[in-house]
Amino acid sequence: MGFFMGLILGIAVGLTLIVGFVRCENVRSKRRSALATTIATFARMTVEDSRKILAPEYYPSWVVFSQRQKLTWLNLHLTKIWPYVNEAASELIKASVEPVLEQYRPIILSSLKFSKFTLGTVAPQFTGVSIIENGEDGITMELEMNWDGNPNMVLDIKTRFGVGLPVQVKNIGFTGVFRLMFKPLVEEFPCFGAVCCSLREKKNLDFTLKVIGGDISTIPGLYDAIEGTIRDAIEDTLMWPARKVIPILPGDYSDLELRPVGILEVKLVQAKELTNKDIIGKSDPYAELYVRPLRDRIKTSKIINNDLNPIWNEHYEFIVEDASTQHLVVKVYDDEGVQTSELIGCAQIRLSELQPGKVKDVWLKLVKDLEVHRDNKYRGQVHLELLYVPIGMSNGYSNPFAPDISMTSLERFLKSGVNGTETIENERGVINKKKEVIVRGVLSVTVISAEELPAVDLLGKADPYVVITLKKSEMRNKTRVVNDSLNPVWNQTFDFVVEDGLHDMLILEVWDHDTFGKDYMGRCILTLTRAILEGEFKECFQLDEAKSGKLNLHLKWLPQPVYRDS
């Protein structure tokens, strides 16, 4: 009896296992079929389909949707015709670069010219191409280019000491984007009037210098001086927006030449929470700003010693040649005295993000490298006020000394342009005497209230008051003390006579009042630009150098311009 019971039980268990296995396999088969269908659907997706499904911020950093096409065919043909291209391009580049080399020639040299210049036998390789249509005006072609060349470039240099040295430029490696612009489009073959050539982007440029039959290190500083001169010459003559215009059909193509299209006014206000690069004490920060990294166009701020929250309040002006592609770059360094300064961080902003004629107030986060964004370490922020004014832009303001001449907002409110002219006759004829407008006025500051101030007393409260200071004139006022409150209300108004509104700053510091001293709670730093432009505004400002806290302010500006000869 037990035998039969065991046999029946075994058969039942076996059948159950077989049915369960079959069902499990059927489920797995359906899942694999569904997964295969999904994969096949993804395989048929285009780049546009994937962008609709998934937002760009969810893609990993290594996913890139390139719109560039491969150029294997072009590289094969370029290799064949390279000897002829080398001969024509070498002469063209030499004629363009040599005058610029002389312009940037180091003071220790009396002469700097090419005695030999050929691009060698190795043709560059184009790894991709993209076409940019400029409406009906022209067509722009951008080609990604790699070149590890073997050029024969020899610089014939002469020092101030009468020593002549032939310096060879070797081991050139270049990676970047080469831009060709075909414009204007015409109805006559080849359907465009001229070609503009330029290097749109310089991702990498390496080369070495060697004295033929000698050692370049025998003259201290010579290697760095020549290397810097070559890089400046390349930046000035070949890097966009600089371009070489080659006429194809007869005509006037002067409008294609490099020319200023506007002025960028920059106020470097301050930086905060900078990374400390010093072991003892704090960093001594200063900033470099530029639109084009040319030696005579880089602006350098003053050095603020031993401060990770420096206040500069300095104003600079930059020439803009192409607002659609150029950037403003800010680099903050730690000054090391006689040693090389150490980079704290850098930032950039596209000029295309600026609305012409409107002041933009921005905080830019500093990063280690502008090209490679792999380092997420916080390095601080830099505060800028920016105003881009295209050449010829008018907004209806009248020059008080020449009523028929229109003035831009830049000319009206910023020092560099708030100028008038006064016609004076003398024995030499009619001359224009320049006047400068000093933006003078009365600033009314109403400290309304504060919110969510940090607790600094033992009982979790504070006795806050605000000290208001004009930085340049050092005028100072303070509110009354509000006891036992982290959300005090003052509603007090203070009037300041401002002698130079374009260069003064308003500093509001919040303190906790104690019987035997005071505790610092945070501060707000404001320029007067917005008050001057808008006349009156009300705003809530976050406290700096504090865990929490906000200040509610109302500012009103009553102008009293003063004119003086300049």
Side-chain angles (χ1 to χ4, degrees):
M1 187 67 180
F3 171 75
F4 289 107
M5 289 295 293
L7 180 62
I8 294 172
L9 184 62
I11 292 173
V13 171
L15 290 174
T16 302
L17 291 174
I18 292 172
V19 172
F21 178 76
V22 171
R23 288 188 175 182
C24 183
E25 284 296 310
N26 288 337
V27 171
R28 292 180 61 188
S29 177
K30 290 181 180 179
R31 288 179 177 177
R32 284 196 296 267
S33 298
L35 182 60
T37 303
T38 303
I39 293 174
T41 303
F42 273 108
R44 291 191 295 270
M45 285 176 57
T46 64
V47 172
E48 294 301 323
D49 293 333
S50 59
R51 285 177 174 170
K52 291 177 182 178
I53 295 174
L54 198 60
E57 57 265 24
Y58 295 107
Y59 287 107
S61 58
W62 44 266
V63 174
V64 178
F65 295 110
S66 177
Q67 297 181 348
R68 301 184 183 275
Q69 302 176 11
K70 300 299 181 182
L71 289 172
T72 306
W73 60 272
L74 178 60
N75 292 327
L76 292 175
H77 288 288
L78 183 60
T79 302
K80 294 179 181 179
I81 66 173
W82 180 248
Y84 308 100
V85 174
N86 172 35
E87 185 174 350
S90 296
E91 199 61 38
L92 179 64
I93 295 174
K94 179 182 177 182
S96 300
V97 172
E98 252 188 358
V100 184
L101 283 177
E102 188 65 23
Q103 175 185 345
Y104 289 104
R105 173 171 49 84
I107 194 170
I108 62 174
L109 302 180
S110 61
S111 176
L112 181 61
K113 294 182 179 180
F114 284 109
S115 59
K116 294 182 181 179
F117 190 101
T118 61
L119 297 178
T121 59
V122 179
Q125 296 293 300
F126 294 102
T127 58
V129 62
S130 62
I131 305 298
I132 304 172
E133 295 186 5
N134 301 330
E136 299 179 356
D137 188 35
I139 296 176
T140 300
M141 179 185 297
E142 292 189 347
L143 303 105
E144 288 184 347
M145 182 176 71
N146 295 329
W147 186 44
D148 293 316
N150 60 344
N152 184 14
M153 302 180 187
V154 179
L155 282 167
D156 186 14
I157 68 173
K158 292 182 181 179
T159 67
R160 297 286 183 184
F161 309 105
V163 179
L165 298 173
V167 177
Q168 187 176 14
V169 184
K170 300 179 60 179
N171 304 325
I172 293 181
F174 174 79
T175 303
V177 179
F178 186 67
R179 168 176 280 195
L180 292 174
M181 298 174 61
F182 304 91
K183 57 190 314 185
L185 300 180
V186 295
E187 297 179 353
E188 182 180 353
F189 187 81
C191 301
F192 52 88
V195 180
C196 299
C197 311
S198 178
L199 291 177
R200 169 67 179 86
E201 185 179 353
K202 180 182 62 179
K203 297 181 179 178
N204 182 51
L205 174 62
D206 293 321
F207 58 87
T208 56
L209 303 174
K210 184 181 184 300
V211 174
I212 299 176
D215 185 4
I216 196 171
S217 62
T218 55
I219 303 179
L222 183 60
Y223 188 99
D224 292 337
I226 297 177
E227 181 186 17
T229 300
I230 293 176
R231 292 185 182 276
D232 285 342
I234 293 174
E235 190 73 38
D236 199 352
T237 57
L238 302 178
M239 286 300 301
W240 182 264
R243 77 288 302 264
K244 185 68 178 178
V245 180
I246 304 174
I248 303 298
L249 299 175
D252 180 16
Y253 303 109
S254 58
D255 58 319
L256 301 180
E257 299 286 349
L258 179 65
R259 63 176 61 189
V261 298
I263 299 294
L264 177 67
E265 297 285 343
V266 180
K267 180 178 282 189
L268 174 65
V269 182
Q270 61 174 321
K272 67 178 181 180
E273 302 170 358
L274 297 179
T275 302
N276 191 8
K277 294 292 184 178
D278 291 348
I279 299 176
I280 301 175
K282 299 178 181 178
S283 298
D284 308 315
Y286 70 93
E288 287 186 353
L289 304 90
Y290 60 83
V291 173
R292 292 184 67 190
L294 300 177
R295 194 179 309 175
D296 57 344
R297 293 200 187 183
I298 297 177
K299 310 295 184 182
T300 304
S301 75
K302 62 186 177 185
I303 299 170
I304 308 295
N305 293 319
N306 199 39
D307 196 343
L308 300 181
N309 298 281
I311 301 174
W312 288 291
N313 196 34
E314 297 183 14
H315 174 260
Y316 307 101
E317 181 181 284
F318 298 92
I319 297 173
V320 177
E321 286 106 349
D322 184 5
S324 63
T325 61
Q326 287 186 295
H327 301 71
L328 172 70
V329 177
V330 183
K331 294 185 177 181
V332 181
Y333 293 90
D334 174 28
D335 180 62
E336 299 291 349
V338 295
Q339 299 180 0
T340 303
S341 298
E342 187 174 0
L343 178 67
I344 296 176
C346 51
Q348 66 178 3
I349 182 172
R350 296 185 183 92
L351 302 190
S352 58
E353 297 178 12
L354 306 180
Q355 184 178 353
K358 299 292 184 181
V359 175
K360 184 168 185 176
D361 188 291
V362 293
W363 281 94
L364 301 179
K365 184 179 178 181
L366 297 176
V367 297
K368 182 179 181 180
D369 193 292
L370 295 175
E371 302 294 336
V372 181
H373 302 287
R374 295 178 181 174
D375 185 4
N376 294 323
K377 179 181 177 182
Y378 183 73
R379 299 172 180 275
Q381 300 180 67
V382 62
H383 183 197
L384 304 173
E385 285 183 353
L386 308 171
L387 175 61
Y388 171 64
V389 181
I391 291 177
M393 179 181 178
S394 173
N395 64 4
Y397 287 109
S398 297
N399 185 324
F401 298 104
D404 56 333
I405 299 177
S406 178
M407 297 183 70
T408 64
S409 56
L410 168 73
E411 294 168 331
R412 180 64 179 85
F413 292 117
L414 295 180
K415 174 188 174 183
S416 60
V418 192
N419 293 327
T421 56
E422 183 178 25
T423 303
I424 298 176
E425 294 186 10
N426 60 10
E427 63 276 7
R428 296 183 181 179
V430 178
I431 63 172
N432 287 327
K433 183 180 179 182
K434 212 156 193 180
K435 294 253 181 188
E436 181 182 17
V437 181
I438 306 301
V439 181
R440 183 178 184 271
V442 176
L443 178 68
S444 293
V445 180
T446 301
V447 183
I448 302 171
S449 62
E451 303 173 12
E452 303 173 1
L453 293 179
V456 293
D457 288 346
L458 295 177
L459 299 179
K461 293 288 185 178
D463 307 316
Y465 66 96
V466 180
V467 177
I468 308 106
T469 307
L470 277 180
K471 187 174 187 296
K472 189 173 182 180
S473 61
E474 298 182 351
M475 295 177 61
R476 183 172 298 184
N477 271 306
K478 66 178 181 179
T479 66
R480 65 178 180 273
V481 177
V482 178
N483 294 318
D484 297 326
S485 178
L486 300 181
N487 297 280
V489 177
W490 291 284
N491 277 324
Q492 288 184 261
T493 301
F494 305 93
D495 292 333
F496 297 88
V497 177
V498 182
E499 298 295 337
D500 188 359
L502 297 177
H503 296 92
D504 220 332
M505 300 182 73
L506 189 65
I507 302 176
L508 299 102
E509 297 176 317
V510 183
W511 295 86
D512 171 47
H513 176 74
D514 289 327
T515 305
F516 301 103
K518 58 183 180 180
D519 296 319
Y520 179 70
M521 302 179 69
R523 70 178 181 180
C524 290
I525 300 175
L526 309 175
T527 66
L528 307 187
T529 307
R530 183 178 174 186
I532 295 172
L533 290 174
E534 298 183 10
E536 183 177 2
F537 71 92
K538 184 179 179 181
E539 189 75 55
C540 181
F541 296 95
Q542 190 76 31
L543 284 180
D544 293 331
E545 303 177 12
K547 294 181 181 179
S548 63
K550 301 176 183 177
L551 266 183
N552 293 305
L553 304 174
H554 178 262
L555 274 67
K556 185 176 182 180
W557 174 259
L558 181 63
Q560 297 177 353
V562 176
Y563 306 105
R564 70 181 181 192
D565 294 342
S566 63

mmCIF file of all heavy atoms in Angstrom, residues 463-492:
data_model
loop_
_atom_site.group_PDB
_atom_site.id
_atom_site.type_symbol
_atom_site.label_atom_id
_atom_site.label_comp_id
_atom_site.label_asym_id
_atom_site.label_seq_id
_atom_site.Cartn_x
_atom_site.Cartn_y
_atom_site.Cartn_z
ATOM 1 N N ASP A 463 19.468 89.743 18.275
ATOM 2 C CA ASP A 463 19.068 91.152 18.396
ATOM 3 C C ASP A 463 19.646 91.905 17.195
ATOM 4 O O ASP A 463 20.647 92.622 17.310
ATOM 5 C CB ASP A 463 19.597 91.747 19.708
ATOM 6 C CG ASP A 463 19.191 90.913 20.912
ATOM 7 O OD1 ASP A 463 18.027 90.498 20.977
ATOM 8 O OD2 ASP A 463 20.058 90.664 21.773
ATOM 9 N N PRO A 464 19.055 91.733 16.017
ATOM 10 C CA PRO A 464 19.702 92.207 14.784
ATOM 11 C C PRO A 464 19.522 93.703 14.527
ATOM 12 O O PRO A 464 18.525 94.315 14.915
ATOM 13 C CB PRO A 464 19.002 91.393 13.698
ATOM 14 C CG PRO A 464 17.655 91.106 14.267
ATOM 15 C CD PRO A 464 17.827 90.976 15.751
ATOM 16 N N TYR A 465 20.527 94.245 13.843
ATOM 17 C CA TYR A 465 20.442 95.578 13.271
ATOM 18 C C TYR A 465 21.284 95.582 11.996
ATOM 19 O O TYR A 465 22.108 94.673 11.771
ATOM 20 C CB TYR A 465 20.910 96.658 14.251
ATOM 21 C CG TYR A 465 22.371 96.603 14.610
ATOM 22 C CD1 TYR A 465 23.307 97.404 13.947
ATOM 23 C CD2 TYR A 465 22.838 95.779 15.633
ATOM 24 C CE1 TYR A 465 24.651 97.372 14.275
ATOM 25 C CE2 TYR A 465 24.174 95.738 15.973
ATOM 26 C CZ TYR A 465 25.079 96.537 15.294
ATOM 27 O OH TYR A 465 26.420 96.499 15.618
ATOM 28 N N VAL A 466 21.093 96.574 11.136
ATOM 29 C CA VAL A 466 21.757 96.623 9.828
ATOM 30 C C VAL A 466 22.614 97.874 9.747
ATOM 31 O O VAL A 466 22.154 98.971 10.085
ATOM 32 C CB VAL A 466 20.727 96.612 8.678
ATOM 33 C CG1 VAL A 466 21.435 96.655 7.320
ATOM 34 C CG2 VAL A 466 19.827 95.386 8.766
ATOM 35 N N VAL A 467 23.846 97.708 9.281
ATOM 36 C CA VAL A 467 24.755 98.825 9.010
ATOM 37 C C VAL A 467 24.820 99.019 7.501
ATOM 38 O O VAL A 467 25.170 98.089 6.769
ATOM 39 C CB VAL A 467 26.164 98.563 9.584
ATOM 40 C CG1 VAL A 467 27.103 99.714 9.218
ATOM 41 C CG2 VAL A 467 26.104 98.377 11.094
ATOM 42 N N ILE A 468 24.468 100.204 7.022
ATOM 43 C CA ILE A 468 24.460 100.521 5.587
ATOM 44 C C ILE A 468 25.647 101.427 5.291
ATOM 45 O O ILE A 468 25.792 102.490 5.906
ATOM 46 C CB ILE A 468 23.144 101.208 5.170
ATOM 47 C CG1 ILE A 468 21.945 100.387 5.646
ATOM 48 C CG2 ILE A 468 23.093 101.397 3.676
ATOM 49 C CD1 ILE A 468 21.229 100.982 6.805
ATOM 50 N N THR A 469 26.487 101.017 4.327
ATOM 51 C CA THR A 469 27.712 101.755 4.017
ATOM 52 C C THR A 469 27.824 101.981 2.516
ATOM 53 O O THR A 469 27.589 101.051 1.730
ATOM 54 C CB THR A 469 28.950 100.985 4.501
ATOM 55 O OG1 THR A 469 28.801 100.661 5.885
ATOM 56 C CG2 THR A 469 30.218 101.806 4.299
ATOM 57 N N LEU A 470 28.160 103.196 2.106
ATOM 58 C CA LEU A 470 28.580 103.464 0.733
ATOM 59 C C LEU A 470 30.082 103.272 0.671
ATOM 60 O O LEU A 470 30.835 103.959 1.369
ATOM 61 C CB LEU A 470 28.212 104.884 0.313
ATOM 62 C CG LEU A 470 26.782 105.102 -0.175
ATOM 63 C CD1 LEU A 470 26.580 106.558 -0.552
ATOM 64 C CD2 LEU A 470 26.451 104.204 -1.351
ATOM 65 N N LYS A 471 30.540 102.320 -0.144
ATOM 66 C CA LYS A 471 31.938 101.890 -0.100
ATOM 67 C C LYS A 471 32.913 102.999 -0.454
ATOM 68 O O LYS A 471 33.909 103.215 0.230
ATOM 69 C CB LYS A 471 32.148 100.698 -1.041
ATOM 70 C CG LYS A 471 33.522 100.056 -0.941
ATOM 71 C CD LYS A 471 33.584 98.804 -1.797
ATOM 72 C CE LYS A 471 34.892 98.068 -1.562
ATOM 73 N NZ LYS A 471 36.067 98.816 -1.979
ATOM 74 N N LYS A 472 32.646 103.727 -1.538
ATOM 75 C CA LYS A 472 33.613 104.715 -2.007
ATOM 76 C C LYS A 472 33.674 105.944 -1.102
ATOM 77 O O LYS A 472 34.761 106.414 -0.746
ATOM 78 C CB LYS A 472 33.283 105.115 -3.444
ATOM 79 C CG LYS A 472 34.343 105.979 -4.099
ATOM 80 C CD LYS A 472 34.042 106.208 -5.572
ATOM 81 C CE LYS A 472 35.136 107.042 -6.219
ATOM 82 N NZ LYS A 472 34.854 107.281 -7.661
ATOM 83 N N SER A 473 32.504 106.454 -0.734
ATOM 84 C CA SER A 473 32.475 107.662 0.096
ATOM 85 C C SER A 473 32.577 107.358 1.588
ATOM 86 O O SER A 473 32.758 108.273 2.391
ATOM 87 C CB SER A 473 31.184 108.432 -0.186
ATOM 88 O OG SER A 473 30.053 107.646 0.148
ATOM 89 N N GLU A 474 32.406 106.057 1.941
ATOM 90 C CA GLU A 474 32.482 105.613 3.339
ATOM 91 C C GLU A 474 31.419 106.258 4.231
ATOM 92 O O GLU A 474 31.595 106.364 5.437
ATOM 93 C CB GLU A 474 33.879 105.860 3.922
ATOM 94 C CG GLU A 474 34.973 105.087 3.190
ATOM 95 C CD GLU A 474 36.345 105.295 3.814
ATOM 96 O OE1 GLU A 474 36.454 106.160 4.701
ATOM 97 O OE2 GLU A 474 37.275 104.587 3.418
ATOM 98 N N MET A 475 30.318 106.713 3.635
ATOM 99 C CA MET A 475 29.187 107.190 4.432
ATOM 100 C C MET A 475 28.488 105.988 5.068
ATOM 101 O O MET A 475 28.359 104.937 4.434
ATOM 102 C CB MET A 475 28.200 107.964 3.553
ATOM 103 C CG MET A 475 28.766 109.245 2.974
ATOM 104 S SD MET A 475 27.592 110.069 1.882
ATOM 105 C CE MET A 475 26.257 110.398 3.013
ATOM 106 N N ARG A 476 28.014 106.151 6.302
ATOM 107 C CA ARG A 476 27.497 105.005 7.048
ATOM 108 C C ARG A 476 26.281 105.405 7.881
ATOM 109 O O ARG A 476 26.216 106.491 8.459
ATOM 110 C CB ARG A 476 28.591 104.434 7.935
ATOM 111 C CG ARG A 476 28.198 103.201 8.719
ATOM 112 C CD ARG A 476 29.395 102.591 9.411
ATOM 113 N NE ARG A 476 30.399 102.163 8.446
ATOM 114 C CZ ARG A 476 31.525 101.530 8.781
ATOM 115 N NH1 ARG A 476 31.793 101.308 10.057
ATOM 116 N NH2 ARG A 476 32.384 101.163 7.855
ATOM 117 N N ASN A 477 25.308 104.490 7.933
ATOM 118 C CA ASN A 477 24.142 104.629 8.795
ATOM 119 C C ASN A 477 23.774 103.253 9.329
ATOM 120 O O ASN A 477 24.203 102.223 8.774
ATOM 121 C CB ASN A 477 22.947 105.214 8.027
ATOM 122 C CG ASN A 477 22.931 106.732 8.065
ATOM 123 O OD1 ASN A 477 22.972 107.326 9.141
ATOM 124 N ND2 ASN A 477 22.895 107.356 6.887
ATOM 125 N N LYS A 478 22.971 103.222 10.371
ATOM 126 C CA LYS A 478 22.528 101.928 10.882
ATOM 127 C C LYS A 478 21.106 102.027 11.412
ATOM 128 O O LYS A 478 20.645 103.086 11.861
ATOM 129 C CB LYS A 478 23.469 101.404 11.955
ATOM 130 C CG LYS A 478 23.520 102.189 13.239
ATOM 131 C CD LYS A 478 24.473 101.511 14.219
ATOM 132 C CE LYS A 478 24.538 102.259 15.552
ATOM 133 N NZ LYS A 478 25.452 101.584 16.514
ATOM 134 N N THR A 479 20.416 100.891 11.370
ATOM 135 C CA THR A 479 19.047 100.823 11.834
ATOM 136 C C THR A 479 19.023 100.656 13.356
ATOM 137 O O THR A 479 20.050 100.455 14.001
ATOM 138 C CB THR A 479 18.307 99.642 11.195
ATOM 139 O OG1 THR A 479 18.890 98.412 11.668
ATOM 140 C CG2 THR A 479 18.409 99.677 9.684
ATOM 141 N N ARG A 480 17.829 100.699 13.901
ATOM 142 C CA ARG A 480 17.685 100.420 15.329
ATOM 143 C C ARG A 480 17.812 98.911 15.566
ATOM 144 O O ARG A 480 17.699 98.103 14.632
ATOM 145 C CB ARG A 480 16.325 100.909 15.820
ATOM 146 C CG ARG A 480 15.155 100.176 15.215
ATOM 147 C CD ARG A 480 13.822 100.664 15.783
ATOM 148 N NE ARG A 480 12.692 99.951 15.190
ATOM 149 C CZ ARG A 480 12.095 100.292 14.071
ATOM 150 N NH1 ARG A 480 12.518 101.362 13.411
ATOM 151 N NH2 ARG A 480 11.074 99.595 13.597
ATOM 152 N N VAL A 481 18.021 98.528 16.796
ATOM 153 C CA VAL A 481 18.133 97.117 17.185
ATOM 154 C C VAL A 481 16.736 96.579 17.478
ATOM 155 O O VAL A 481 15.945 97.204 18.196
ATOM 156 C CB VAL A 481 19.031 96.956 18.427
ATOM 157 C CG1 VAL A 481 19.081 95.500 18.864
ATOM 158 C CG2 VAL A 481 20.437 97.475 18.133
ATOM 159 N N VAL A 482 16.427 95.413 16.895
ATOM 160 C CA VAL A 482 15.163 94.722 17.186
ATOM 161 C C VAL A 482 15.499 93.522 18.065
ATOM 162 O O VAL A 482 16.211 92.607 17.636
ATOM 163 C CB VAL A 482 14.463 94.270 15.893
ATOM 164 C CG1 VAL A 482 13.182 93.505 16.224
ATOM 165 C CG2 VAL A 482 14.133 95.467 15.007
ATOM 166 N N ASN A 483 15.020 93.504 19.274
ATOM 167 C CA ASN A 483 15.395 92.483 20.244
ATOM 168 C C ASN A 483 14.632 91.176 20.028
ATOM 169 O O ASN A 483 13.447 91.169 19.680
ATOM 170 C CB ASN A 483 15.134 92.982 21.671
ATOM 171 C CG ASN A 483 16.039 94.154 22.029
ATOM 172 O OD1 ASN A 483 17.232 94.166 21.715
ATOM 173 N ND2 ASN A 483 15.473 95.167 22.679
ATOM 174 N N ASP A 484 15.356 90.080 20.272
ATOM 175 C CA ASP A 484 14.788 88.725 20.297
ATOM 176 C C ASP A 484 13.928 88.425 19.071
ATOM 177 O O ASP A 484 12.747 88.071 19.168
ATOM 178 C CB ASP A 484 13.946 88.525 21.564
ATOM 179 C CG ASP A 484 14.776 88.642 22.832
ATOM 180 O OD1 ASP A 484 15.952 88.235 22.789
ATOM 181 O OD2 ASP A 484 14.265 89.151 23.833
ATOM 182 N N SER A 485 14.545 88.548 17.895
ATOM 183 C CA SER A 485 13.791 88.294 16.665
ATOM 184 C C SER A 485 14.717 87.790 15.568
ATOM 185 O O SER A 485 15.833 88.306 15.400
ATOM 186 C CB SER A 485 13.083 89.566 16.189
ATOM 187 O OG SER A 485 12.396 89.320 14.975
ATOM 188 N N LEU A 486 14.251 86.776 14.832
ATOM 189 C CA LEU A 486 14.949 86.301 13.638
ATOM 190 C C LEU A 486 14.242 86.765 12.368
ATOM 191 O O LEU A 486 14.703 86.469 11.262
ATOM 192 C CB LEU A 486 15.037 84.764 13.642
ATOM 193 C CG LEU A 486 15.791 84.145 14.830
ATOM 194 C CD1 LEU A 486 15.828 82.624 14.703
ATOM 195 C CD2 LEU A 486 17.208 84.698 14.922
ATOM 196 N N ASN A 487 13.131 87.485 12.537
ATOM 197 C CA ASN A 487 12.404 88.065 11.403
ATOM 198 C C ASN A 487 12.066 89.520 11.722
ATOM 199 O O ASN A 487 10.880 89.902 11.800
ATOM 200 C CB ASN A 487 11.127 87.266 11.115
ATOM 201 C CG ASN A 487 11.411 85.829 10.712
ATOM 202 O OD1 ASN A 487 11.747 85.555 9.571
ATOM 203 N ND2 ASN A 487 11.286 84.917 11.670
ATOM 204 N N PRO A 488 13.092 90.342 11.917
ATOM 205 C CA PRO A 488 12.851 91.714 12.374
ATOM 206 C C PRO A 488 12.234 92.585 11.283
ATOM 207 O O PRO A 488 12.438 92.366 10.084
ATOM 208 C CB PRO A 488 14.247 92.211 12.736
ATOM 209 C CG PRO A 488 15.147 91.422 11.837
ATOM 210 C CD PRO A 488 14.524 90.067 11.716
ATOM 211 N N VAL A 489 11.498 93.592 11.720
ATOM 212 C CA VAL A 489 10.919 94.600 10.821
ATOM 213 C C VAL A 489 11.436 95.966 11.267
ATOM 214 O O VAL A 489 11.290 96.344 12.434
ATOM 215 C CB VAL A 489 9.375 94.558 10.869
ATOM 216 C CG1 VAL A 489 8.804 95.663 9.986
ATOM 217 C CG2 VAL A 489 8.855 93.197 10.417
ATOM 218 N N TRP A 490 12.061 96.703 10.327
ATOM 219 C CA TRP A 490 12.610 98.022 10.645
ATOM 220 C C TRP A 490 11.804 99.156 9.988
ATOM 221 O O TRP A 490 11.428 100.118 10.630
ATOM 222 C CB TRP A 490 14.066 98.115 10.190
ATOM 223 C CG TRP A 490 15.007 97.264 10.968
ATOM 224 C CD1 TRP A 490 15.485 97.491 12.226
ATOM 225 C CD2 TRP A 490 15.595 96.041 10.531
ATOM 226 N NE1 TRP A 490 16.344 96.486 12.604
ATOM 227 C CE2 TRP A 490 16.438 95.577 11.576
ATOM 228 C CE3 TRP A 490 15.531 95.279 9.363
ATOM 229 C CZ2 TRP A 490 17.177 94.414 11.490
ATOM 230 C CZ3 TRP A 490 16.255 94.119 9.271
ATOM 231 C CH2 TRP A 490 17.067 93.696 10.328
ATOM 232 N N ASN A 491 11.614 99.051 8.667
ATOM 233 C CA ASN A 491 10.931 100.107 7.900
ATOM 234 C C ASN A 491 11.577 101.475 8.135
ATOM 235 O O ASN A 491 10.892 102.467 8.400
ATOM 236 C CB ASN A 491 9.443 100.165 8.256
ATOM 237 C CG ASN A 491 8.627 99.143 7.483
ATOM 238 O OD1 ASN A 491 8.912 98.878 6.314
ATOM 239 N ND2 ASN A 491 7.644 98.550 8.133
ATOM 240 N N GLN A 492 12.913 101.505 8.029
ATOM 241 C CA GLN A 492 13.650 102.760 8.199
ATOM 242 C C GLN A 492 14.283 103.168 6.872
ATOM 243 O O GLN A 492 14.815 102.322 6.132
ATOM 244 C CB GLN A 492 14.742 102.599 9.262
ATOM 245 C CG GLN A 492 14.197 102.507 10.680
ATOM 246 C CD GLN A 492 15.320 102.442 11.698
ATOM 247 O OE1 GLN A 492 15.680 101.366 12.175
ATOM 248 N NE2 GLN A 492 15.879 103.594 12.041
#
